[in-house]
Amino acid sequence: MSQQEKIQRLIELREQAKLGGGKKRIEAQHAKGKLTARERLELLLDEGSFEEYDMFVTHRCNDFGLGNKKYPGDGVITGHGTIDGRVVYVYSQDFTVLGGSLSETFSKKICKIMDQAMKVGAPVIGINDSGGARIQEGVLSLAGYAEIFQRNIMASGVIPQISAIFGPCAGGAVYSPALTDVIIMSEKTSYMFVTGPKVTKSVTGEVVSTEDLGGAEVHTSKSGVAHFRAEDEEEGLLIIRKLLEYLPQNNLEDPPVTETGDPSERADDMLNEVIPGESNQAYEVKDVIYSVVDNKEFLEMHRHYARNIVVGFAKFNGMPAGIVANQPNYLAGVLDIDASRKAARFVRFCDAFNVPIVTFVDVPGFLPGSAQEYGGIIVQGAKLLFAYGEATVPKVTITLRKSYGGAHDVMGCKQLRGDINYAWPTAEIAVMGARGAVEILEGRNIAQIDGDEGKGRYISEKENEYVEKFANPYEAARHGYIDDVIEPRNTRFRIIRALQTLVTKKDVNPPKKHSNIPL
Ligand code: HXC
């Protein structure tokens, strides 16, 4: 064979590999409203940046007729490319090849790029669309998953790991995405569950559809397993690109600072009027967030889950930061099990990757009741407390209004390593609200008063006294728990100056094998 012929052969082999399971299966993939594994990578990565590995790998199994079903690449496309010029490692499961099922060699391909990503210190993005363990390969396939899980665990907190679910992801296969930092699901075309509807019915009798058991809606609003629900795959891939703007390449780097063009001294008079006259009235905390961040850009995570707390990424004068904010517009911003878990995970995500945390506090306390206590709110709330207390990244806390009880301590208070704590003049920082306090402190006196009218008068007198003394930021400021009381309109500038000051902050935890966070 001449050199030209050999090159021609290479070109043909590449063309064959690029067809995956063949034209018909590609058409079937499109007919389901799904992109192919390669089309997804094209959209995800900077144009022309993809370098593919292991295009010619095939499986080694000859059982159950698999011997004559060998496809170059074996159902997963792996390699590296760039996003906004920064290196990322990728794998993209190809459903057109044996349903994207995972074989021994398929797993080895993924492990190869994960190992290299760890050495290089670059994020790994996995696009999942697979029928799970390749049934014909039996235990080899299970071992293949376990090899990936182990790498997910070792990479956790070292390099960002992002999972897109754009098709089936079932059985033990769900655990690789679950071990990564962020999960994005596409609406209608993706699902995740440990056991599917058929097994569910035969074991428990419950009849439930695929969508209702593990669709994108369920996992972004009910279980909280997924962080983003994308209308389609294009949007999902854009979210990944956006997310990386806020993250460093690895845990030894800082997140990238960029020029955003939004003046740091920009004040906003709207903030001086955003808090309603009555303490129990709701308002939209995202109005505050959009007002203070660069160019109103806020990448909200877990938007549909535990809406009483808001978390996500934004920039302040080009510096990426994670935002945690109680949401008075939903359940009065109360802290419950789901909100505590959601925020705790986010705080730890930020801390692992050196992203400073800005916290906006307006929290009436923890949600009372047996459902919460039986669900272990003690341990769940402790997660958030633990996360804040353990985090060494710069932490700036702004108390907008209520900061009551245990929830005050949990939400980035000074004693849990809050670096710079500001409050608006509307802040109310106390052990509990006036009504509850008067009931407890004055119960005996109230009981001795004759008649409802007299009782009512006494209660409101005492409530006013309590509000006067405690429903303000000055008691806390008097003790230095609040560094300054600031005018709301200047909040953006004060946060930016705080973050700039804290850029060189150093804090460490004592040496240990690892902490024992209450799980
Ligand atoms: C081998 C598989 C496969 C698998 C699908 N295929 N899943 N081959 N192993 N796990 C093949 C099919 O035989 C078919 O090949 C082709 O892929 C396309 O599949 P279809 O069934 O035609 O596609 P569709 O109707 O869209 O259904 C997709 C599906 C279904 C829902 C994913 O294929 C399915 O239920 N597959 C099995 C899922 C499963 O139980 N997996 C094991 C989970 S346990 P042909 O050539 O006929 O077109 C697991 C354990 C992991 O994963 C453990 C980790 C610890």
Side-chain angles (χ1 to χ4, degrees):
M1 228 192 257
S2 69
Q3 188 173 0
Q4 281 315 310
E5 283 166 337
K6 285 181 181 171
I7 292 169
Q8 190 52 37
R9 167 132 177 82
L10 169 66
I11 292 168
E12 281 164 17
L13 285 174
R14 281 196 193 284
E15 288 308 312
Q16 191 194 341
K18 282 183 182 163
L19 277 180
K23 285 206 171 95
K24 265 211 174 110
R25 287 179 195 271
I26 291 176
E27 278 164 22
Q29 178 84 349
H30 287 156
K32 287 182 201 155
K34 289 160 61 174
L35 298 171
T36 65
R38 283 181 191 281
E39 288 164 347
R40 289 164 178 163
L41 289 180
E42 260 167 47
L43 285 173
L44 174 69
L45 300 171
D46 294 341
E47 205 180 334
S49 70
F50 183 48
E51 290 284 345
E52 185 168 349
Y53 291 171
D54 293 338
M55 195 183 218
F56 306 115
V57 162
T58 53
H59 68 74
R60 301 168 195 146
C61 177
N62 292 314
D63 297 328
F64 298 102
L66 262 197
N68 54 13
K69 285 190 185 167
K70 295 204 176 178
Y71 300 86
D74 199 29
V76 65
I77 297 157
T78 59
H80 60 80
T82 60
I83 290 181
D84 291 330
R86 300 157 81 208
V87 174
V88 293
Y89 283 80
V90 289
Y91 69 83
S92 183
Q93 300 176 340
D94 184 352
F95 192 82
T96 69
V97 175
L98 302 169
S101 57
L102 184 137
S103 67
E104 183 193 14
T105 43
F106 184 122
S107 158
K108 282 202 156 69
K109 284 183 66 172
I110 293 178
C111 291
K112 185 195 267 186
I113 61 114
M114 292 183 79
D115 289 342
Q116 200 170 98
M118 282 289 275
K119 288 183 194 160
V120 168
V124 172
I125 299 159
I127 303 175
N128 296 263
D129 184 3
S130 162
R134 190 166 301 163
I135 297 162
Q136 299 91 329
E137 293 208 10
V139 75
L140 288 182
S141 162
L142 299 187
Y145 273 113
E147 293 280 359
I148 297 171
F149 299 160
Q150 182 62 43
R151 282 166 177 78
N152 287 136
I153 294 162
M154 290 299 106
S156 182
V158 179
I159 49 174
Q161 300 181 84
I162 301 170
S163 305
I165 317 291
F166 288 165
C169 184
V174 296
Y175 286 114
S176 175
L179 292 166
T180 64
D181 298 302
V182 179
I183 298 180
I184 295 138
M185 292 182 77
S186 57
E187 264 173 27
K188 299 193 188 79
T189 48
S190 73
Y191 56 85
M192 296 178 80
F193 35 63
V194 173
T195 41
K198 278 191 197 140
V199 178
T200 302
K201 184 166 178 244
S202 69
V203 175
T204 69
E206 184 191 357
V207 178
V208 60
S209 69
T210 300
E211 190 68 22
D212 286 346
L213 190 62
E217 220 249 303
V218 164
H219 284 311
T220 50
S221 59
K222 286 197 167 70
S223 73
V225 164
H227 303 80
F228 292 97
R229 176 160 97 212
E231 229 172 79
D232 51 30
E233 295 179 15
E234 283 89 344
E235 193 196 13
L237 296 165
L238 271 180
I239 290 171
I240 298 176
R241 290 182 64 94
K242 189 86 206 144
L243 187 60
L244 288 175
E245 287 179 24
Y246 302 100
L247 296 173
Q249 289 290 88
N250 56 65
N251 65 328
L252 300 179
E253 290 182 10
D254 287 327
V257 177
T258 50
E259 188 58 59
T260 59
D262 195 352
S264 59
E265 65 282 5
R266 179 175 55 75
D268 189 350
D269 291 334
M270 178 278 287
L271 293 179
N272 278 6
E273 291 167 13
V274 74
I275 301 292
E278 291 296 319
S279 180
N280 56 4
Q281 263 179 288
Y283 63 94
E284 176 55 72
V285 79
K286 284 188 236 175
D287 288 344
V288 177
I289 296 172
Y290 285 122
S291 159
V292 297
V293 301
D294 289 355
N295 302 320
K296 300 191 188 307
E297 275 188 48
F298 175 52
L299 183 65
E300 187 176 356
M301 286 180 57
H302 263 148
R303 178 148 60 104
H304 309 282
Y305 177 73
R307 284 157 51 205
N308 32 333
I309 203 153
V310 175
V311 302
F313 293 105
K315 290 188 176 182
F316 290 94
N317 202 28
M319 296 174 285
I323 290 178
V324 180
N326 308 114
Q327 172 59 286
N329 239 357
Y330 192 82
L331 299 175
V334 77
L335 276 180
D336 59 4
I337 291 168
D338 292 349
S340 302
R341 285 181 44 233
K342 165 176 163 177
R345 177 134 173 93
F346 182 73
V347 166
R348 297 191 97 223
F349 182 29
C350 291
D351 188 48
F353 292 110
N354 310 317
V355 180
I357 297 160
V358 177
T359 305
F360 296 99
V361 184
D362 189 346
V363 61
F366 279 99
L367 182 63
S370 53
Q372 289 290 308
E373 296 296 346
Y374 296 170
I377 183 66
I378 295 174
V379 174
Q380 314 292 351
K383 288 187 171 120
L384 184 51
L385 189 83
F386 200 112
Y388 269 110
E390 185 188 41
T392 55
V393 286
K395 280 178 277 181
V396 178
T397 301
I398 317 283
T399 303
L400 308 179
R401 189 172 61 172
K402 293 173 202 163
S403 184
Y404 283 126
H408 163 77
D409 280 9
V410 171
M411 293 300 301
C413 75
K414 197 81 182 160
Q415 294 73 16
L416 285 162
R417 287 178 164 176
D419 294 302
I420 297 182
N421 290 51
Y422 291 143
W424 284 5
T426 42
E428 307 166 17
I429 305 171
V431 174
M432 61 173 71
R435 170 63 53 97
V438 169
E439 270 171 19
I440 292 169
L441 298 177
E442 299 290 332
R444 206 184 293 268
N445 294 340
I446 294 167
Q448 282 167 2
I449 298 170
D450 286 333
D452 286 346
E453 207 179 304
K455 274 190 173 66
R457 213 170 6 209
Y458 185 77
I459 290 171
S460 79
E461 219 172 81
K462 287 290 165 191
E463 271 180 22
N464 286 342
E465 237 176 74
Y466 189 86
V467 166
E468 191 70 18
K469 177 137 178 69
F470 292 116
N472 62 61
Y474 299 106
E475 186 68 9
R478 206 161 63 82
H479 293 281
Y481 302 158
I482 290 293
D483 297 302
D484 196 9
V485 181
I486 64 172
E487 199 181 330
R489 67 190 295 281
N490 298 328
T491 303
R492 169 176 165 80
F493 176 64
R494 300 299 292 262
I495 292 174
I496 289 172
R497 196 138 76 175
L499 290 174
Q500 276 166 346
T501 306
L502 294 168
V503 158
T504 51
K505 174 202 167 184
K506 293 260 179 302
D507 206 348
V508 285
N509 292 324
K512 55 179 124 176
K513 191 168 171 192
H514 56 71
S515 61
N516 192 12
I517 185 166
L519 291 174

